[in-house]
Amino acid sequence: MMMPKLLIVDDDIHLRKLVMTYAELDGYQCEETENGQKAIEKVNSTQFDIVVLDVMMPELDGFETLGEIRKESQVPVIMLTSRSEEYDKLLGFHLGADDYVPKPFSPKELMARIGAVLKRSGKRSCDKLSFGEFCVSPGSRTVTAGEKVLNLPPKEFELLLYLAQNEGLVLSREQLLNKVWGYDYYGDTRTVDTHIKSLREHLGDYRKVIQTAWGVGYKFEYE
């Protein structure tokens, strides 16, 4: 089986080497570059499985780079940013970013997010996600919990599916709003809490697969 190919784009050489060290230990084949123009050239000439792209770079920043990449490629892109403004995140998602990781970050968390994005992009929409007796089926939009087949309301199903696709990762309320309701949805984050409460009620004995990360958000964990 071929190793997944990762491109790391950041003007900080120490950060590039740090990410590369962890990625290679996890079995990735890595290439790196320090600016957006070279990243565009590499993506256009090489088949990468995923790109880690810094937002704040001289000359061509991460947003401009992503915009150019998206003209020719739909390769998954995770953006690194030290900026916390909501507008920046919304712009990134609008341009086609698959995930955001704020700086400073844990290299292990970054690798988990890379794995989660690859898992999502590598699965066909009809593939089932199975966790023991618990199964989420995107094609039929149903959930099998033990011997029961659950037909969840649309947004609750999409919420569960996104959490299950990111098994073990804590997702913030803002991330869930962006991915499930759309990047331009400006509803209160309590919308997520309301849907999680209803989702847990529908899951019954399997409600514990949705765990709360207090003060942050939620994660899917099948035990």
Side-chain angles (χ1 to χ4, degrees), residues 140-177:
S140 61
R141 296 182 69 84
T142 58
V143 176
T144 304
E147 297 180 355
K148 294 182 179 179
V149 177
L150 309 177
N151 291 291
L152 300 174
K155 275 291 178 275
E156 288 182 31
F157 179 82
E158 292 167 19
L159 186 58
L160 175 63
L161 176 61
Y162 186 58
L163 285 163
Q165 288 173 329
N166 291 275
E167 181 190 10
L169 283 178
V170 174
L171 300 174
S172 70
R173 291 171 176 82
E174 290 77 12
Q175 285 177 298
L176 293 170
L177 277 174

Side-chain angles (χ1 to χ4, degrees), residues 40-109:
I40 295 166
E41 293 169 2
K42 280 182 174 290
V43 169
N44 288 340
S45 62
T46 305
Q47 187 71 41
F48 289 99
D49 294 290
I50 191 163
V51 176
V52 172
L53 175 65
D54 185 34
V55 170
M56 298 295 290
M57 294 186 294
E59 298 178 17
L60 211 61
D61 67 22
F63 296 130
E64 294 171 305
T65 301
L66 177 59
E68 291 299 314
I69 287 174
R70 282 291 175 257
K71 291 179 181 179
E72 302 292 338
S73 173
Q74 292 302 311
V75 61
V77 175
I78 294 178
M79 304 200 78
L80 304 177
T81 179
S82 55
R83 296 163 60 165
S84 59
E85 288 85 352
E86 182 181 45
Y87 173 78
D88 287 341
K89 293 184 179 181
L90 297 179
L91 176 58
F93 285 126
H94 176 65
L95 290 170
D98 293 87
D99 201 357
Y100 252 94
V101 176
K103 293 181 177 179
F105 58 84
S106 158
K108 290 183 178 179
E109 180 187 355

